[in-house]
Amino acid sequence: MVEVKPVEIVVDSREASSRIGEALSALPGVSVQTAELSSGDYLVAPGVAVERKEALDLIASILDRRLFEQVGKMLGEHDRAIVLVEGDPYKTGRDVAVEAIDGALAWLACLSGVHVMYSPSLAVTPRLLWRMAVQLRHGLGYEIPLRGNKPKQPWAQAQFIVEGLPGVGPTTARALVAHFGSARAVLCASEEDLRAVKGVGPKTAASIVQALVSGI
Amino acid sequence: MVEVKPVEIVVDSREASSRIGEALSALPGVSVQTAELSSGDYLVAPGVAVERKEALDLIASILDRRLFEQVGKMLGEHDRAIVLVEGDPYKTGRDVAVEAIDGALAWLACLSGVHVMYSPSLAVTPRLLWRMAVQLRHGLGYEIPLRGNKPKQPWAQAQFIVEGLPGVGPTTARALVAHFGSARAVLCASEEDLRAVKGVGPKTAASIVQALVSGI
DNA sequence: ACTTCCGATCCTTGA
DNA sequence: TCAAGGATCGGAAGT
């Protein structure tokens, strides 16, 4: 049985009965609320607004400068603003200078202060809104593991553990384990003792001890 | 007469001779510098790094977790980080769950702290880099908002070391470091003490000690 | 990134 | 108090 993570998404009243509103309701654990949003189309978390810009609409709002106004308004009214570009703005068929599109996208990414997200199509948009909502509400379902796969053979484990130390690669790890006899002995060693090992200088020794004694 | 706005763009040495490097040099007013960047592919302004991710490469780096590592590194080393996604990640032909792509894009936009930009193709990428550079250098008198980026937190290092232990993943690693106060304390703990931590039973505790005391 | 699956852990029950 | 059962959580592997 898969866990369903409940999320609330607020949909602007003008969009509520759209295909996206329906698709959102159909996703597991989503409760769709409707409200009149003065800026943005969706609230994907409290204070996080999303403005959906279908490619053609994006071009239009670049040309008539509505985009900048809308973005400014969103930023003023919410903690975080995201522009969700749906479709390829370079392939709308509208007769518009590519420089204008380049400029608008660059501005959005660098200067505007909003975040930008891309959806290839209307079909994907609801999933992305949902995923954002889940992540913002529940965080990632797990921690991002800090290191890759670990060995299963016990003899390799000692070396692998020691390799986690800063400045220590495979060669030094082997030297350390050989010198001290076990991983535990390495990890309990003093800075002085560590320096005695070939490949470990004052700098590495210091950072090892530093890493080991630092707590949360 | 068209005004040419001079900009400098730093290209990582590995990318310098690529088609993009050449295309950048050909753009008006662009002076391309080369440097070895430890993270990111381009510096589009001082302190503003751009990582180019071709769609297929994006998928690959999601699967092997490289993406998160790279993003973290960029955020730590620059004032501002931008991921430039080139192409449609949903159409790479790679056999990957769409949920994973949704999740990664949502994470990039909402949680990661980077900004995201989309380029439809390799041909457009240089133009977008250039446009960003121009806007950041000459753009409208805006200051680049600096988000404070601390270097890697020390507690992360402790957790990293502890994660090397058998049977210990991100969650348990955090519990262990929290319980014992430091990585060293965890590694010097007795089997008994280890068992007291939530998530560590007799079996895990035994294999941890086993790994620590075993030599090479 | 997500999902599925499996095993270990933990928690409640009831004797 | 303990054992047994099921619910829960974490890890590993695959997409």
Side-chain angles (χ1 to χ4, degrees):
Chain A
M1 177 65 184
V2 286
E3 185 193 359
V4 172
K5 302 190 173 182
V7 290
E8 295 81 44
I9 297 179
V10 179
V11 179
D12 183 63
S13 10
R14 286 164 306 227
E15 300 260 332
S17 61
S18 73
R19 197 169 137 190
I20 291 178
E22 286 167 27
L24 281 174
S25 311
L27 287 166
V30 176
S31 99
V32 172
Q33 328 259 334
T34 303
E36 187 139 339
L37 302 178
S38 71
S39 63
D41 299 319
Y42 307 92
L43 285 183
V44 92
V48 183
V50 178
E51 168 90 15
R52 169 174 167 260
K53 277 282 172 211
E54 196 274 325
L56 201 52
D57 189 30
L58 178 71
I59 300 302
S61 56
I62 291 168
L63 293 177
D64 65 12
R65 288 158 182 71
R66 226 169 56 236
L67 179 64
F68 308 99
E69 184 189 308
Q70 286 177 331
V71 161
K73 200 168 182 204
M74 269 215 290
L75 287 168
E77 295 176 355
H78 307 275
D79 299 330
R80 200 110 74 94
I82 297 166
V83 173
L84 176 45
V85 177
E86 188 179 278
D88 187 338
Y90 291 93
K91 297 210 180 91
T92 60
R94 278 288 295 258
D95 184 18
V96 61
V98 289
E99 289 83 1
I101 305 176
D102 294 350
L105 294 179
W107 177 78
L108 282 171
C110 294
L111 296 179
S112 68
V114 300
H115 283 254
V116 181
M117 190 165 190
Y118 164 81
S119 167
S121 76
L122 179 61
V124 176
T125 298
R127 292 205 322 253
L128 290 174
L129 291 169
W130 173 57
R131 194 59 75 176
M132 284 192 279
V134 170
Q135 288 190 1
L136 288 166
R137 171 93 159 71
H138 301 277
L140 296 180
Y142 49 91
E143 309 262 336
I144 296 173
L146 269 46
R147 65 159 79 180
N149 293 337
K150 37 191 142 183
K152 251 190 133 224
Q153 297 79 0
W155 58 268
Q157 278 178 357
Q159 191 183 323
F160 183 79
I161 293 164
V162 174
E163 267 182 44
L165 298 169
V168 177
T171 308
T172 312
R174 220 173 299 120
L176 281 165
V177 175
H179 183 270
F180 290 101
S182 76
R184 167 164 287 172
V186 174
L187 299 159
C188 294
S190 71
E191 193 172 329
E192 219 167 48
D193 295 338
L194 290 168
R195 259 197 319 249
V197 177
K198 185 164 172 91
V200 181
K203 205 161 159 178
T204 305
S207 64
I208 289 174
V209 172
Q210 166 65 28
L212 287 169
V213 298
S214 74
I216 17 179
Chain B
M1 150 109 185
V2 182
E3 184 193 1
V4 172
K5 303 190 174 182
V7 290
E8 296 83 45
I9 296 178
V10 179
V11 178
D12 183 62
S13 13
R14 285 164 306 230
E15 299 261 330
S17 62
S18 72
R19 196 171 139 188
I20 291 178
E22 289 166 26
L24 281 174
S25 311
L27 287 165
V30 175
S31 100
V32 171
Q33 329 259 334
T34 302
E36 187 140 338
L37 302 178
S38 73
S39 62
D41 299 319
Y42 307 93
L43 287 183
V44 92
V48 183
V50 177
E51 168 90 16
R52 169 174 167 261
K53 277 282 172 213
E54 196 273 323
L56 200 52
D57 189 32
L58 178 72
I59 300 302
S61 55
I62 290 168
L63 292 177
D64 66 12
R65 298 158 180 77
R66 226 169 56 238
L67 178 64
F68 314 101
E69 196 183 295
Q70 287 175 333
V71 161
K73 202 166 180 207
M74 271 215 287
L75 287 169
E77 295 177 357
H78 306 277
D79 299 326
R80 217 163 153 174
I82 297 167
V83 173
L84 177 45
V85 178
E86 189 178 278
D88 187 339
Y90 291 93
K91 298 211 178 89
T92 59
R94 276 287 298 253
D95 186 15
V96 63
V98 291
E99 290 88 352
I101 305 175
D102 294 351
L105 294 179
W107 178 79
L108 282 170
C110 295
L111 296 180
S112 68
V114 299
H115 281 254
V116 182
M117 188 163 192
Y118 293 91
S119 165
S121 75
L122 179 61
V124 175
T125 298
R127 291 204 326 249
L128 289 174
L129 290 169
W130 173 56
R131 190 62 73 173
M132 285 192 278
V134 170
Q135 289 190 1
L136 289 166
R137 172 93 157 70
H138 303 279
L140 319 176
Y142 282 80
E143 291 281 314
I144 303 166
L146 300 184
R147 35 182 309 119
N149 288 311
K150 312 126 217 176
K152 196 167 188 167
Q153 279 106 351
W155 60 262
Q157 220 164 23
Q159 189 183 326
F160 180 85
I161 294 165
V162 174
E163 261 185 48
L165 298 170
V168 177
T171 306
T172 312
R174 264 209 299 171
L176 282 165
V177 174
H179 183 269
F180 289 102
S182 77
R184 166 163 287 171
V186 173
L187 299 159
C188 295
S190 70
E191 194 172 327
E192 213 168 51
D193 295 338
L194 289 169
R195 244 181 305 147
V197 176
K198 183 161 174 102
V200 181
K203 201 152 171 169
T204 307
S207 65
I208 289 174
V209 172
Q210 163 67 27
L212 286 169
V213 299
S214 75
I216 222 157

